[in-house]
Amino acid sequence: MSDLKLGSDNTPRFQWVIQNDPIGPNLPYDVELRNHSVAGVVPTKGSLVENWMLVIPRQPLPSLADASINVRKEVLQIGRHESAAGTGSKERWFNFEHGSRNAGDVIGCGVDQAHLHVVPLPFDLLRVATTNQQDLAWFEVNTHDPWSEIPVGVDYYLVSDFLQTFLAYPATGESQYFRKLIARELGQPDRWDYRKYGCETNVKATIDSRHLRN
């Protein structure tokens, strides 16, 4: 296991969430915002905008496609609940996943644990994602359980606005694919890598506004 997948105490990056601990080793980023039996909600390191969160199942899974249908639906419902809390009239909420099916895959962004990104953005991430790359074929799937249509063992990209959901199967995996698109659209194309740019100010603002509030 590479150091990209480890916390400061040599444990897997999100082991603290799986263990249902309220904080992890990598502060100020590792703080649970919301506690659910099935999953924890945490801010994401590298938040280019405030209120960018991760919904992380409390069981070791490479991707949400590998979770049970009940866990998948609960994770999605938690993400929908967080988006319903809102941030402002100019933002539109999206969720996405880099679906890595095997430990160490580059598509997993250095974290061998399933997690759903939930983020408010001032642009249409669905349009940007589905028109960005000509050789990436996107198709619409059932929003209620989009993972049900994914073949066993196949890497994928998933993006949704909670009303429409699209999937694509990349021929070649790319790390932090959606982060790169978001950084570009926000006018910060060089700041996509969460390992280099933790965006601590935005993370702290997210914690201040959402930490364990209903």
Side-chain angles (χ1 to χ4, degrees):
M1 184 176 289
S2 77
D3 60 353
L4 297 180
K5 305 182 188 75
L6 300 178
S8 61
D9 60 352
N10 263 5
T11 57
R13 177 70 183 88
F14 289 122
Q15 184 65 28
W16 64 279
V17 179
I18 295 172
Q19 295 174 170
N20 204 4
D21 293 333
I23 61 173
N26 190 18
L27 295 175
Y29 308 103
D30 289 357
V31 175
E32 189 171 64
L33 304 174
R34 202 88 66 236
N35 182 288
H36 300 270
S37 60
V38 169
V41 180
V42 307
T44 182
K45 185 177 181 181
S47 298
L48 291 168
V49 296
E50 294 180 18
N51 293 295
W52 186 339
M53 295 166 283
L54 306 178
V55 185
I56 305 172
R58 296 200 192 279
Q59 53 184 283
L61 296 162
S63 73
L64 288 169
D66 296 294
S68 69
I69 184 172
N70 290 336
V71 169
R72 297 194 304 255
K73 288 189 172 182
E74 182 68 15
V75 165
L76 190 57
Q77 181 58 33
I78 292 168
R80 188 177 287 111
H81 174 79
E82 293 300 332
S83 70
T87 55
S89 59
K90 294 183 179 181
E91 288 88 8
R92 178 177 169 190
W93 283 86
F94 299 90
N95 66 77
F96 64 85
E97 183 191 10
H98 303 99
S100 172
R101 308 307 290 276
N102 298 291
D105 279 358
V106 65
I107 195 174
C109 309
V111 180
D112 288 339
Q113 172 61 27
H115 55 283
L116 184 70
H117 291 257
V118 181
V119 58
L121 294 169
F123 60 89
D124 185 354
L125 183 60
L126 292 186
R127 179 192 60 79
V128 170
T130 57
T131 60
N132 177 65
Q133 193 170 319
Q134 294 299 317
D135 62 351
L136 200 57
W138 292 90
F139 56 97
E140 189 170 1
V141 292
N142 183 342
T143 294
H144 298 292
D145 184 20
W147 299 278
S148 64
E149 304 187 29
I150 301 173
V152 174
V154 175
D155 291 343
Y156 60 91
Y157 295 141
L158 178 149
V159 62
S160 175
D161 64 355
F162 295 98
L163 297 173
Q164 289 183 291
T165 303
F166 292 85
L167 277 174
Y169 301 131
T172 303
E174 182 177 346
S175 180
Q176 304 187 61
Y177 181 76
F178 289 110
R179 285 186 181 271
K180 291 174 182 176
L181 297 185
I182 291 170
R184 185 189 72 192
E185 294 300 310
L186 291 175
Q188 304 176 53
D190 297 326
R191 293 177 60 85
W192 56 268
D193 191 347
Y194 73 90
R195 291 181 288 258
K196 295 180 180 179
Y197 302 99
C199 301
E200 184 175 323
T201 299
N202 285 338
V203 171
K204 287 183 175 179
T206 300
I207 293 170
D208 288 344
S209 66
R210 306 183 80 93
H211 187 204
L212 298 180
R213 296 179 183 176
N214 295 319

